[in-house]
Amino acid sequence: MADFGGGDPEAFRKEVREWVEANFPAELKGRPNPMMREERAKPSEAQEAWRKAVGSKGWGTPTWPKQYGGGGLSSAEARVIQQEFGRAGAYNPIGGMGVMMFGPTLLEYGTEDQKLEHIPLICRGDVQWCQGFSEPGAGSDLAALQTRAEDKGDHFLINGQKIWTSGAQYADWCFCLVRTDTSKKHEGISFVLFSMHQPGVEVRPIKLIAGSSPFCETFFTDARAEKKNLVGPLNGGWTIAKRLLQHERGGLSGAGGGGGMGGRSLVDLAREYVGVDDQGRIADPDLRTRVVQHEIEGRSFQQTAVRAMLESKGNSGPSAATSIMKNAGTSWMQLRHELTLEIMGHQGLGWEGDAFKPEELGAVRGWLGGKAFTIYGGSQEVQSNIISKRILGLPDLTQHN
Amino acid sequence: MAVLNEEQSMLRDAAKSWTQEKSPVTAFRKMRDSGVDIGYDAKAWNEMAEMGWAGVIIPEEYGGSAFGYLSMGLILEELGRTLTASPLIASGVGAASALALGGSDAQKSEWLPKIADGSVVGALAVDEGAHHAPEKVALAATKSGAGYSLSGTKTFVIEGLAANLLVVSARTSGAPGDKDGITLFLVPADAKGVSRKRLALADSRGAANITFDKVEVGADAILGAADKGWEVLEKTLDRVRAALAAEMLGAANQAFETTLDYLKVRVQFGQVIGSFQALQHRAAKMFTDLELARSAVEAALQAIDADSPDVPELVSLSKAKMGDVFHLVSNEMVQMHGGIGMTDAHDSGFYLKRARAAEAAFGSQSYHRDRYARINGY
């Protein structure tokens, strides 16, 4: 592939390696990305230095256009950066919803001014975004949303409530679906951007069954969004929302197939907690069967991910296999958590305290947190509707307008 | 669908148009109703052989095209769609692989060109009981003069009645269950002391029990080395399993598509039944599983072509996954068709019967799950 645009891949690798050596603070080696954790509210000096260093190079968003603060690099060069970061034990400090979902969508649908205003801040990690989509009455049926935006000339006044707003308590800005026409369903929705740091915005973290608060309820009382921050046409937000959800689902299914879990394999855990028979087999034959089945399912998921990638490059058009990735990946991950818990027995049920190893406590929290996989980003059932309708061509009875 | 090269695309297109024109499911029905004892239409097999399909994995110097196993899988997938019965797997994959992997120059020169042109049908005589267990060989081969004398029984030999040439696993030392001490023999099906009994199975395909009563063969009938047949046998079986999984992939996809078509036309309660979410979600689940199974089947065939060391585990993975998915889809085909699916006049029953026969052949899902775990050390 001529991904290096005539440049020398080894020279680029050398450049990245030297830069990482010069800029990555040693104390952060092997540490997870604070972006995904509560500590991101008050980052350390080293974390801030690393974020600024990577952000100013645009290497946190390596394939985004240079004129908006991205790296302007090829996907092959982006892989080199990823590899070199991995080699040095360094995380990519630029991330979150701005990178995963909002940025790619704005690059596609935003005006030149909007891109120039918002994308560079995402590339530098200066602004964190949250997603104002779901509402108490609009979950799977997202287009039933009722948060209203009233036209006030140069701005909109926003009133209503969002829920499941990931990371709203740390967010600086919100990309939000609002109702601008109550006479239509899908065609009455607009896509607006506004600051979370204003009096009309109130955020209440929701404590989940796993004990943490990754999501919030978010209330808007006469919150203000400038007209220049309307993305796409008025009442044209649904198309943009659907595109953004594709970015979201792509990111979520990538967790499956063994990639996102880390930790030890189920087989290793079973050897330790359940034991083996005189032939080295997992001693509980029923559990062994289910572990094998799960391993086979995981391998076939990985094989499908590879096939989908090769097909989208080699054949014309996207591969039909991509449509199954979210359901297949998330149900696989959930089952992995269930099996982990079962393998650990009582040791896998500890909530806190020194009677349990960190790995065991993590198993409980992971199992509970994992219940969300088949709910968020389009539930298992909504994904099945999408496959039925778009891929299999079965009639759609869920559209009433 | 894997990314194909030009010759693979041409092979697949040829197989697709031939099966649709010459061998639709009605042809299978006609073959079944005719009661032909070999379990396939000899005329159709001749046409397949003329197109070179029997020689797809056979080296060019022995009259084949050496296109490889993925190519063979593409043909089998199309044949599977219409349930086309033929000895392509038993002969063109089974006997051909055994010879190509373990045969002497003389054996290859004698048999492979005839297998490639379809004039000889080969078959693997491996199992001796109700379940696939290739190491449980009791059939005895004892020294007799300069050669051997074979006595024992092989069960469920696929295309055993049609075969001219049998690849027989026999015990030359050790006990049933030992991998050492198994020897492969090439035995002409008309050799003195070979008797065959046709098995009428639910899927109407060709199968036989074969008894060997003091069958005398020369030392030159040994395929590979005496007592050391296991390696060639296992490699051969993996090629057959992967090929069978490809046939199953085609059959399962057709069973699904036929069912999906029915969901779009059958009206109850004033609407097509495919508008009911209870059926839509089951259809989405089947589609998801079929996509996963396709990846597993193609990966196994590609691994064989690349002679990769993980062939055994990828093959077991694919046969287990494909078996589960064909099982599900064939059951759902009958259920979603309702009463019509229970009638012999409808094709659903054919897919259901073929599914179970193919699942059991060369190792069921539980056999391959166990094998996958053992290969991976648990």
Side-chain angles (χ1 to χ4, degrees), chain A residues 397, chain B residues 266-276:
Chain A
L397 291 189
Chain B
R266 169 70 174 167
V267 173
Q268 287 287 274
F269 305 104
Q271 53 200 318
V272 295
I273 61 173
S275 62
F276 300 130

Side-chain angles (χ1 to χ4, degrees), chain B residues 139 151-154 193-197 209-213 215:
Chain B
L139 187 145
S151 284
T153 299
K154 291 292 177 181
V194 173
S195 56
R196 299 187 273 185
K197 181 177 164 45
N209 282 351
I210 304 181
T211 302
F212 298 78
D213 182 17
V215 176

Side-chain angles (χ1 to χ4, degrees), chain B residues 4-282:
Chain B
L4 305 179
N5 64 31
E6 203 173 323
E7 73 200 15
Q8 288 166 337
S9 298
M10 282 170 62
L11 261 185
R12 187 206 43 199
D13 293 346
K16 194 182 269 300
S17 55
W18 182 82
T19 49
Q20 282 170 4
E21 285 164 31
K22 300 292 190 66
S23 185
V25 187
T26 48
F28 173 77
R29 180 179 292 276
K30 209 170 133 200
M31 185 280 292
R32 182 201 66 165
D33 292 345
S34 75
V36 55
D37 59 359
I38 56 171
Y40 62 86
D41 174 2
K43 193 167 150 282
W45 170 240
N46 285 340
E47 287 184 31
M48 293 164 70
E50 275 167 23
M51 290 184 284
W53 295 353
V56 163
I57 63 114
I58 292 174
E60 287 171 281
E61 71 248 54
Y62 299 111
S65 62
F67 283 156
Y69 287 86
L70 180 64
S71 299
M72 181 62 98
L74 296 169
I75 296 170
L76 285 164
E77 190 182 331
E78 296 303 325
L79 297 178
R81 280 186 164 272
T82 59
L83 300 171
T84 300
S86 84
L88 186 55
I89 290 182
S91 189
V93 179
S97 297
L99 279 158
L101 290 164
S104 65
D105 288 345
Q107 288 167 335
K108 289 195 268 198
S109 300
E110 182 180 2
W111 295 108
L112 283 177
K114 293 177 187 156
I115 290 175
D117 70 17
S119 57
V120 159
V121 168
L124 300 179
V126 173
D127 285 317
E128 300 185 9
H131 291 275
H132 180 60
E135 71 284 359
K136 289 188 185 157
V137 175
L139 187 145
T142 47
K143 289 251 183 186
S144 167
Y148 290 83
S149 172
L150 275 56
S151 284
T153 299
K154 291 292 177 181
T155 56
F156 301 99
V157 178
I158 302 214
E159 318 303 349
L161 206 62
N164 317 104
L165 173 68
L166 301 169
V167 178
V168 183
S169 60
R171 186 150 298 281
T172 38
S173 69
D178 294 345
K179 289 172 182 171
D180 274 346
I182 292 172
T183 305
L184 299 179
F185 290 91
L186 293 173
V187 182
D190 58 2
K192 189 165 170 285
V194 173
S195 56
R196 299 187 273 185
K197 181 177 164 45
R198 180 195 172 212
L199 295 170
L201 298 180
D203 70 342
S204 307
R205 304 277 280 254
N209 282 351
I210 304 181
T211 302
F212 298 78
D213 182 17
K214 303 193 192 79
V215 176
E216 298 287 333
V217 294
D220 59 355
I222 292 179
L223 186 70
D227 284 346
K228 298 291 172 202
W230 176 256
E231 194 188 324
V232 170
L233 177 60
E234 198 185 27
K235 282 189 163 179
T236 299
L237 288 171
D238 272 339
R239 280 147 182 79
V240 171
R241 291 156 178 157
L244 180 57
E247 186 203 311
M248 293 163 78
L249 178 67
N253 270 291
Q254 186 58 57
F256 174 68
E257 287 166 27
T258 300
T259 306
L260 191 61
D261 288 343
Y262 187 68
L263 297 183
K264 292 175 184 175
V265 296
R266 169 70 174 167
V267 173
Q268 287 287 274
F269 305 104
Q271 53 200 318
V272 295
I273 61 173
S275 62
F276 300 130
Q277 219 174 29
L279 299 184
Q280 289 183 344
H281 286 192
R282 278 153 60 191

Side-chain angles (χ1 to χ4, degrees), chain B residues 301-367:
Chain B
L301 292 165
Q302 286 165 332
I304 295 170
D305 282 333
D307 201 17
S308 156
D310 53 7
V311 164
E313 64 179 301
L314 291 180
V315 166
S316 277
L317 189 163
S318 73
K319 183 70 169 47
K321 179 69 190 168
M322 193 63 247
D324 278 347
V325 176
F326 198 10
H327 191 102
L328 169 76
V329 173
S330 60
N331 277 346
E332 290 283 56
M333 184 182 201
V334 174
Q335 179 67 25
M336 290 188 177
H337 278 88
I340 190 77
M342 288 299 296
T343 64
D344 185 69
H346 195 263
D347 293 341
S348 292
F350 289 160
Y351 287 90
L352 182 67
K353 293 165 188 170
R354 182 58 190 150
R356 293 309 174 279
E359 286 171 58
F362 301 105
S364 64
Q365 289 88 295
S366 81
Y367 176 91

Side-chain angles (χ1 to χ4, degrees), chain A residues 65-95:
Chain A
K66 215 172 175 110
Q67 71 264 37
Y68 307 122
L73 300 170
S74 68
S75 53
E77 287 166 324
R79 271 196 301 282
V80 169
I81 292 177
Q82 195 185 7
Q83 286 160 359
E84 289 304 314
F85 277 21
R87 189 175 169 276
Y91 59 86
N92 178 357
I94 309 298

